[in-house]
Amino acid sequence: MELAELLSEKQVCVELEATGRDEAVHEVLTHLVSAGRLHKDQVEAVLRAIVKRETLGTTAIGRGMAVPHARVEAAEGTMIGI
């Protein structure tokens, strides 16, 4: 599978309005809904899974960058939001 198959322009948030981690992840998930990659009923479950994953160890890289991720049984396939 190629990256182009997993990512479209609609999945990229250039300017986030969120100021906190959870809010930023929620905003990216909302973009995934708009892009047709995630159903709106799954947003909260995915957010909870990502927050839970972060409790195991931060995915922060530094300088405001992180790679939050999680495995979510309710979601189908791989999804990417930037």
Side-chain angles (χ1 to χ4, degrees), residues 4 17 33 37 39-40 44-45 51 53 56 59-60 66 69 78:
E17 293 181 18
V33 171
R37 295 291 202 166
H39 193 274
K40 66 181 180 179
E44 292 304 317
V51 170
R53 163 57 186 86
L56 299 175
T59 61
H69 60 282
T78 300

Side-chain angles (χ1 to χ4, degrees), residues 13-31 64:
C13 306
V14 179
E15 294 183 32
L16 290 177
E17 293 181 18
T19 57
R21 179 196 71 191
D22 295 359
E23 294 84 12
V25 172
H26 191 275
E27 195 169 332
V28 172
L29 293 175
T30 300
H31 275 76

Side-chain angles (χ1 to χ4, degrees), residues 3-75:
L3 183 59
E5 295 175 62
L6 297 172
L7 189 62
S8 72
E9 283 184 39
K10 290 180 180 179
Q11 293 166 249
V12 179
C13 306
V14 179
E15 294 183 32
L16 290 177
E17 293 181 18
T19 57
R21 179 196 71 191
D22 295 359
E23 294 84 12
V25 172
H26 191 275
E27 195 169 332
V28 172
L29 293 175
T30 300
H31 275 76
L32 289 175
V33 171
S34 297
R37 295 291 202 166
L38 182 67
H39 193 274
K40 66 181 180 179
D41 293 340
Q42 296 174 310
V43 170
E44 292 304 317
V46 174
L47 178 60
R48 281 192 306 273
I50 290 171
V51 170
K52 182 177 179 181
R53 163 57 186 86
E54 284 290 311
T55 64
L56 299 175
T58 183
T59 61
I61 296 171
R63 304 182 86 186
M65 299 288 294
V67 187
H69 60 282
R71 290 188 186 269
V72 181
E73 299 216 9

